[in-house]
Amino acid sequence: MSLLALKSITKAYIEKGKYLPVIDEINLTIEEGEFVVVVGPSGSGKSTVIRIAAGLVAPTQGTILYKGEPISSPNPNASIVFQNFALLPWLTVQENIELVLEVRNIPPRQRIRTALKYVDLVGLDSFEDAYPRELSGGMKQRVGFARALAVEPEILFMDEPFSALDILTAADLREEFLKFWTSGKLSIKSIVMVSHNIEEAILMSDRIIVLSSRPGKVVGEIRIALPRPREPHSKEFENILDQVYSLIISSHISK
Amino acid sequence: MFLLSAAFWSIVRVFIAYCLSLLFGILYGILSATEPRRERWMIPFLDVLQSVPILGFFPIAVTILVVIFRGQRIGLELAAIFLIITSQLWNIAFGVYETIKTFPKDLLEMTRSFGMNTTFIIEHIYLPALVPTIIYNSGVSIAVGWYFLMASEIITLGNVEVRLPGLGTAMMGYVTQGNLFGTLSVIGIIVLVNFITQWFIFRPLIEWSDLFKFGAVGSAPEEPKLVTILRNGIPWHKVSGWINRMVQWGGRFQKSPVFLRILNYLISIVFASLFGYFLYWMMKPPYPHIVGEIPKSLFITSFRVIGAVFLSVVLSFPFVVKATKTASNVKNIYVFAAILGSIPAVIFYPLIVRGLGREHMELAAIILLLTGSFWYTLFNMLKGALMLPTTLVEMAHIFGIHGWVYYKTILIPAMLPSLITGAITAWGGAWNTSMVAEKVTFGQESFSIPGIGSLLLASTAHAKDLLWVVLIMTLWIVVVNTFFWKKWYRYSSEKYTFTE
């Protein structure tokens, strides 16, 4: 049984009497232990797919199954890392993390312990009393990661987590995160990430799902069996890059 | 000492009214922002209420409450507090509504993704996010509250024997007696209390509220002692639970459509019949002869109000131009204006009238109208000038755009939405001031000029007359607001806002 299954997911809006589908009949399965990246141009509804998969948004049609059970509200076993960090400006790093633990009725002393543990994990020790406004973009996203991991989710969703960062910081964070994932020390069973950066997708994932745009439809999947860390200039890497681009271009032409 | 007890009563009234306004304002704002169906009627309703000249309704409130409480002091106290609440409530409610509606979407998604329920969100997300708007609007509201408190103590109503002990009443007494020292002492105390409140309480609070702004950069402000006391002293969890229960209660009604429809019919029938009876009573002859004088008075006062608004805009202009020259200038002028503007100008009025004499009442009236409207245009136009993107200013500088061309093509268009907001609030302020400006009574003598304000005060002895005057005046103001001002604001905000 797959960890997560999206069956015939459609999401449409009605604006001024017109039916505007954002995503159309999307079928996806995520198995345990997989790192899947959904790529697509803007307008392909990738953010919508992730929000439906996490139970945040209800689809117009279709069902989501988590471990075989249908999901109709935010999945308590899932966590999200947001593109623009989504931190509360009036809480310190530590307080931002403790907040989501408080929701789960974790007692105060344990909250502090867990929060500090994850602050250390993402490399922000000595910054636990800093406010988000005092941090750089990369540091803010580290808090985002720490918070998402602190609730020890089974499945992690990431909505373009590195897009708001400059290239060097993004590369750093990507590398660090991949190390955590491959070390197997995280509680997370699977990861679903959304990205418009194809190189990033090939660098990180086990499987790439390509979406077309307007409306978003799955045009193809590519499995990547290369060992990590991956070399962006190797022949295999460039091969896969070509495959992904052809998928995207052919979907464009067929429109 | 007599003055100290007068000060005490005035301060207590403002404080009680403020706490109640805060409570109801936050509730109203949260309720209207969290459910589209509620929003659809709550916001237009608030809009209309905001246009109604508060001081126009004061005589009605007094009459009703005095009748209910049989002429005892508690009736007048409640009327004064009610008056102050109506001046503060709309500001706070609108601020809360806007903050919740423009709340960053991804933060809300984050809260739902981590499983936060409504009470949790109210306590940990909404209430903190509301801190900047509450603090800012409180500073303004307290200043406004003082203005109306003084006005309520200065207005003499035909059939009321009891006067409330307070600073306004004290001053009226002094001016009647010709006691200059007493008058100046009262003015001094009012200025002192306002200064202390704005400088020592609200200024540090406004600085601290920067912690709650989205997208701020730089070191975080420290927490003032007052805040620590409030934070630990109030059971926030209980407060949020209570607010949540109010929000849910509203929602629960909507879940049973049959019950709701029956309730709707019943309420409509009751209202329609009450309204019908009211109309019948109003229209029944003999017609109060005062009705004939209403159009003329309305016209005269409108003329004065329009003049005051125009003058306010023109007079604010030099300050705004000066302010845009340097960034530090803006802050200085702002603080200066905030402190001066918090002094209720109403208190100077008896002094001015007495000093200028009966022949110059018109001049005195215009001056007072200006004090009731100038601050609004100044503040809003300053705000508009502050929002002018520095890149535009730099561009004008590099291309050598100066003087009249600069004002005509850049400064004024950029400021237009704020200018119109300023004009709208100045218009409202001038109408309110007209209630106090057109007729002043010192003991036995009274000074008055023709206009709807003096007409209203003259009609307080007869309920029917009073109602006719107030209702027609209110109708006029609401109509002008809806069909003139709102149109201009919409037009200017569509054409002249900065969007990338």
Side-chain angles (χ1 to χ4, degrees), chain A residues 185-217:
Chain A
K185 287 203 204 118
L186 299 177
S187 65
I188 303 169
K189 295 192 178 142
S190 307
I191 303 179
V192 182
M193 181 169 97
V194 147
S195 176
H196 63 260
N197 181 339
I198 302 178
E199 279 86 353
E200 172 179 277
I202 304 177
L203 207 60
M204 300 182 85
S205 68
D206 299 316
R207 181 157 57 104
I208 298 181
I209 299 179
V210 182
L211 294 185
S212 67
S213 71
R214 289 188 195 98
K217 274 170 131 69

Side-chain angles (χ1 to χ4, degrees), chain B residues 384-458:
Chain B
L386 264 176
M387 291 197 307
L388 195 66
T390 33
T391 43
L392 269 189
V393 178
E394 287 168 1
M395 180 276 290
H397 204 66
I398 293 253
F399 284 104
I401 305 179
H402 294 306
W404 176 240
V405 180
Y406 176 65
Y407 299 146
K408 192 173 92 161
T409 53
I410 297 186
L411 192 59
I412 296 181
M415 263 190 343
L416 205 58
S418 309
L419 196 153
I420 295 190
T421 310
I424 296 178
T425 38
W427 156 271
W431 271 104
N432 265 312
T433 319
S434 296
M435 303 297 116
V436 203
E438 294 176 358
K439 177 170 177 178
V440 191
T441 309
F442 302 104
Q444 297 306 323
E445 11 162 22
S446 75
F447 300 53
S448 76
I449 41 174
I452 198 83
S454 51
L455 195 67
L456 190 138
L457 289 177

Side-chain angles (χ1 to χ4, degrees), chain B residues 63 159 281 288 290 456-468:
Chain B
T63 313
N159 56 352
W281 175 74
I290 218 169
L456 190 138
L457 289 177
S459 66
T460 54
H462 307 286
K464 209 164 171 177
D465 296 1
L466 184 60
L467 277 169
W468 268 102

